[in-house]
Amino acid sequence: MSGVNKRVLVLGGDGFCGWPTALHLSSIGFDVVIADNLSRRTIDAELGIDSLTPISSIAERLRAWKRVSGFEIGFERIDIAADYEALRRLLERYKPGTVVHFAEQRAAPYSMKDARHKTYTVDNNVRGTHNVLAALSELALDCHLVHLGTMGVYGYDSADLELPEGYLDVLLEGRDGAHHRRSILYPTNPGSVYHLTKSLDQLLFQFYAANDRLRITDLHQGIVWGTQTDQTRRDPALINRFDYDGDYGTVLNRFAMEAVVGHPLTVHGSGGQTRAFIHIQDTVRCIAMALENPPARGDAVKILNQVAETHRVRDLAALVAKLTGAEVSFVDNPRREAAENSLAVSNATFRALGLQPILLEDHLLSETMDIAAQYADRCNFDAIPARSVWTPNHNPGVVREQMKEAANA
Ligand code: NAD
Ligand code: USQ
C-alpha cells in the first residue's frame, strides 16, 4: 500500500458496513479514525424504526473496542456533505494514507419515498462525495480513496453476458474508416434515485482521477447479508446493526428475520429478480485487500466488483422456507424493476487477490437466523412491509388500496 502511512479515515464508520470495517482495519494494524454525522440513527428515529440488534452508542462502541483489543479508534462527528471545512480540517490534521467512504444514504426505498427524500439523497450523496474529492485535491494529499459503490449502477439486463469490472472496451469506426479502441464506463442504468447517486459518483471519480491524478478505487458491491464479523462478536457492545424494516432491510436478512418471527416471506412480484450477494465478513476482507492494492497516481479509477454469488429472490425465499417452514407470500412489487432478469458478474480481481468468498451453502444463514431469533422480541411488525413505491399512481397495490379507501369513505 501507499508507503508506510497506516492512517485510515473511515467516513460513515458507524454504519452497517463501516463499523465492522473500522474494527477489522484496527485489528490488522491500521490507525483508524471514524467520521460520521450519525444520520442513520436520526433516520431510524424519523422512520420510527430500530436495528433488530441493540446497537450501542458510538462512544460505548469505541470504549468496548479499546477494552477488548487495546486499540483506540478516533471519532469525529462531521457531516461530510454539509460541512466542507470540517472535513478539510480533519484531512489536513490527520493526513490519512487511505479514506474509505461509506458515508451515503444507502436505501433505495428511502430514496424513492417522495421529493424530499429524493432531494436529500442526491444532496447528501453527491455533495459528500464531491467534498471528499475537492478536499483531497485542495490539500494535495497522497491519499487513496476507496469508495463503496454498488452493483446496481450496471442495471439488470437479461442478456447472457458476464458484467465486467466497471469498463467496457469498445471499437468505434472513425470517419476515415479507421477503428479506434476506447475503454468506457459500462453504461449505467440505475433503478432508484439512490442507485442514480452512485452512477453520478462514478463521473466525479473519473474526472478527479484524470484531472487531479487522485488514486481512487470504486467497489461495486452486491447486497450485503449477515450481521456479525470476527471483531463485532467480541463484545455485546460491538454488535453490528441488523436492518429489517421496509426501507433499510435488505432482502436476505429480511427473509431470515421474517422466518424467525413468523411473518410470511415478502417476495416482491414474481421474485424473478436476480441480484448479487456478499457476506459482511467478506465485505471487510475485500476492503482491506482494496486498501493494500491501490491504483498508481495517474491511473484510471480502479473498479472492482465486490460480490460472492448471485441468486434469484424467489429461490432465496424457497431456501429460507425449506430451512424453516416459513410461508412465502408474493406481494405486489412496490418498485419498478424487471419481473425477471439473469445476472452473471466478474469478481476476477478479488478472486486473484485471494478472496474465497463465504457462500450461502456455507450455512452462515443459520447464524443470521440465530441472531434474528435472539432479538426477535425487538421486532416491530408494523415496520416490515415495504411502503415506499416507485410510481405511486401506477402501482397496482396502491391503486387497490386507494380504491378500498374510496369505497369505505
Ligand atoms: P448505513 O446507512 O448503515 O451506513 C452509512 C453511514 O454513513 C451511517 O453511519 C451514516 O450516519 C453515515 N453518513 C451518511 N451520510 C453522511 C454524511 N453526510 N456525513 C457523515 N456521515 C454520513 O449503510 P451501509 O449499509 O453501511 O452502507 C455503507 C455504504 O456501502 C453505502 O455507501 C452503500 O451505498 C454501500 N453499499 C451497501 C450495501 C448493503 O447491502 N448494505 C451494498 C452495496 C453497497
Ligand atoms: N425484495 C423482495 N422482498 C423484500 C425486499 C426486497 O423481493 O422484502 C427484492 C427487491 O424488489 C429487489 C431485491 O429484492 O428486487 C433486492 O432488494 P434489496 O432491498 O435487498 O437491495 P437494494 O434495494 O438493491 O439495495 C441494497 C442496499 C444498497 C446496495 C444494493 C446493492 O440497500 O445500499 O447498493 O443492495 S445492489 O442491489 O447490488 O445494487
Side-chain angles (χ1 to χ4, degrees):
M1 65 163 299
S2 54
V4 288
N5 185 343
K6 303 278 272 185
R7 291 185 296 281
V8 182
L9 177 60
V10 180
L11 305 174
D14 185 48
F16 170 59
C17 298
W19 173 242
T21 300
L23 297 186
H24 181 69
L25 295 177
S26 173
S27 75
I28 58 173
F30 286 92
D31 175 355
V32 179
V33 167
I34 290 173
D36 198 302
N37 65 348
L38 307 184
S39 53
R40 251 331 285 289
R41 294 176 188 251
T42 315
I43 289 174
D44 283 347
E46 171 201 339
L47 300 177
I49 55 171
D50 208 351
S51 161
L52 189 69
T53 47
I55 55 170
S56 301
S57 68
I58 184 71
E60 180 48 36
R61 281 179 151 187
L62 298 176
R63 274 196 296 274
W65 180 239
K66 174 125 196 260
R67 200 165 56 236
V68 301
S69 73
F71 299 125
E72 217 157 324
I73 294 181
F75 175 71
E76 301 275 342
R77 186 165 182 175
I78 292 178
D79 185 328
I80 66 154
D83 197 347
Y84 175 80
E85 283 307 318
L87 173 66
R88 192 184 59 75
R89 279 197 303 274
L90 173 61
L91 286 167
E92 191 171 29
R93 195 173 69 242
Y94 185 53
K95 294 191 174 46
T98 313
V99 171
V100 189
H101 175 21
F102 297 96
E104 297 186 80
Q105 191 301 99
R106 71 99 175 134
Y110 184 85
S111 79
M112 296 298 289
K113 276 183 174 310
D114 53 28
R116 185 173 72 78
H117 291 87
K118 290 176 185 174
T119 309
Y120 166 74
T121 302
V122 172
D123 284 352
N124 187 64
N125 295 4
V126 181
R127 276 180 75 189
T129 296
H130 187 259
N131 282 348
V132 175
L133 292 164
L136 291 177
S137 162
E138 186 184 354
L139 296 166
L141 287 182
D142 180 22
C143 178
H144 173 207
L145 174 63
V146 177
H147 171 255
L148 271 291
T150 179
M151 281 302 301
V153 296
Y154 298 115
Y156 296 103
D157 173 322
S158 269
D160 185 19
L161 50 81
E162 182 179 71
L163 286 176
E165 297 200 280
Y167 297 98
L168 198 60
D169 288 328
V170 295
L171 211 53
L172 296 169
E173 192 176 331
R175 286 187 297 179
D176 56 357
H179 285 86
H180 303 273
R181 196 171 288 284
R182 291 287 181 275
S183 178
I184 59 170
L185 280 174
Y186 192 90
T188 183
N189 186 16
S192 72
V193 166
Y194 154 71
H195 288 96
L196 170 64
T197 64
K198 297 287 185 179
S199 302
L200 297 169
D201 283 347
Q202 285 195 282
L203 290 178
L204 299 176
F205 297 141
Q206 189 180 49
F207 176 79
Y208 277 90
N211 191 69
D212 299 75
R213 295 165 57 84
L214 294 188
R215 293 183 293 124
I216 302 170
T217 298
D218 197 6
L219 302 172
H220 288 190
Q221 184 171 238
I223 300 168
V224 183
W225 64 282
T227 310
Q228 296 280 62
T229 61
D230 293 343
Q231 287 76 40
T232 63
R233 263 186 219 104
R234 292 180 64 181
D235 189 281
L238 299 174
I239 198 165
N240 201 12
R241 31 183 328 131
F242 187 128
D243 295 304
Y244 67 92
D245 61 279
D247 283 324
Y248 279 89
T250 52
V251 65
L252 187 49
N253 277 11
R254 265 165 74 77
F255 286 172
M257 169 273 175
E258 287 169 346
V260 163
V261 301
H263 190 285
L265 310 186
T266 49
V267 175
H268 292 168
S270 64
Q273 310 88 330
T274 305
R275 295 290 182 268
F277 292 85
I278 185 165
H279 191 271
I280 185 72
Q281 181 69 64
D282 284 332
T283 289
V284 307
R285 286 194 192 120
C286 285
I287 290 166
M289 284 191 245
L291 244 74
E292 281 156 1
N293 295 277
R297 227 172 147 74
D299 281 0
V301 177
K302 185 170 182 178
I303 301 179
L304 280 67
N305 292 335
Q306 189 163 304
V307 304
E309 57 190 327
T310 61
H311 291 284
R312 201 192 308 254
V313 168
R314 65 168 170 267
D315 297 341
L316 292 177
L319 171 72
V320 174
K322 191 171 141 211
L323 290 174
T324 61
E327 182 195 331
V328 177
S329 165
F330 290 86
V331 300
D332 289 330
N333 194 342
R335 308 184 185 201
R336 183 192 278 276
E337 54 189 0
E340 304 276 332
N341 71 279
S342 54
L343 179 65
V345 186
S346 166
N347 59 359
T349 308
F350 277 124
R351 287 281 190 179
L353 290 172
L355 175 69
Q356 291 182 320
I358 293 165
L359 301 175
L360 261 182
E361 66 190 29
D362 295 330
H363 309 299
L364 281 195
L365 192 55
S366 53
E367 188 187 277
T368 305
M369 284 190 285
D370 289 347
I371 290 274
Q374 195 180 340
Y375 298 105
D377 61 330
R378 288 171 50 87
C379 168
N380 169 2
F381 275 68
D382 279 353
I384 296 178
R387 296 194 173 89
S388 176
V389 290
W390 265 229
T391 49
N393 299 327
H394 300 105
N395 185 277
V398 172
V399 173
R400 264 204 296 281
E401 280 304 309
Q402 286 168 346
M403 284 165 66
K404 252 192 261 161
E405 275 168 29
N408 292 337

